[in-house]
């Protein structure tokens, strides 16, 4: 941890982004001027464009889209079907199932259940299919940004 002239705290942590956190914007300028950029390092925009065009990045994005798009569409269809059924066929939703529990209550509980199931499935999918590859991309990008090479 370092202190700048203005008394603001800055961090040497490579993952800390003062501007994104909303703190230390004046300190960020002091840190930028205090750290000279290596002359051989490519510009940050070029590094990120190179990573974005890489096959590994495209694979991570493809895996993300293959899960998220069908999951979001299925959930939205299920939600809209619930709302439309509740407003257009109230007799069906009021039909008793067991005691005071009716079809509408079960469908509403089904909405909560599918929300939790979809969240669980998303987290599991990310952990098994994308997280490791995304972390490797992140490390490669950081290495390229520091000017040390990398395998992106």
């Amino acid at each position: 941890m370092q202190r700048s002239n203005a008394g603001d705290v800055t961090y040497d942590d490579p993952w800390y982004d003062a501007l994104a956190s909303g703190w230390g914007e004046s300190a960020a300028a002091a840190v930028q001027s205090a750290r000279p950029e290596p002359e051989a390092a490519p510009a940050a925009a070029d590094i990120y464009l190179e990573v974005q065009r890489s096959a590994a990045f495209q694979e991570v994005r493809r895996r993300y889209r293959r899960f998220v798009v069908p999951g979001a569409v299925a959930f939205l269809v299920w939600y809209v079907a619930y709302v439309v059924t509740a407003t257009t066929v109230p007799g069906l939703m009021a039909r008793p199932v067991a005691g005071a529990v009716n079809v509408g209550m079960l469908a509403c509980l089904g909405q909560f259940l599918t929300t939790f199931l979809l969240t669980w499935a998303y987290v599991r999918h990310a952990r098994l299919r994308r997280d490791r590859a995304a972390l490797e991309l992140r490390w490669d990008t950081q290495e390229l940004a520091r000017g040390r090479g990398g395998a992106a």
Side-chain angles (χ1 to χ4, degrees), residues 14-115:
W15 304 115
Y16 178 76
D17 186 358
L19 293 177
S21 68
W23 295 94
E25 284 144 8
S26 62
V31 170
Q32 290 294 339
S33 63
R35 293 184 190 166
E37 287 289 323
E39 294 178 21
D46 295 335
I47 293 169
Y48 288 108
L49 285 173
E50 177 183 339
V51 170
Q52 184 180 9
R53 291 180 186 124
S54 71
F57 181 83
Q58 296 303 321
E59 179 65 18
V60 169
R61 294 298 299 167
R62 185 184 66 79
R63 289 178 184 177
Y64 172 78
R65 282 189 215 107
R66 284 187 64 186
F67 181 85
V68 169
V69 171
V73 168
F75 185 78
L76 286 174
V77 166
W78 160 229
Y79 177 74
V80 169
Y82 168 72
V83 171
V84 169
T85 304
T87 57
T88 59
V89 192
L92 172 68
M93 298 299 262
R95 184 172 294 155
V97 175
V101 178
N102 60 25
V103 173
M105 289 178 174
L106 290 178
C108 179
L109 290 174
Q111 290 288 314
F112 284 104
L113 180 64
T114 55
T115 300

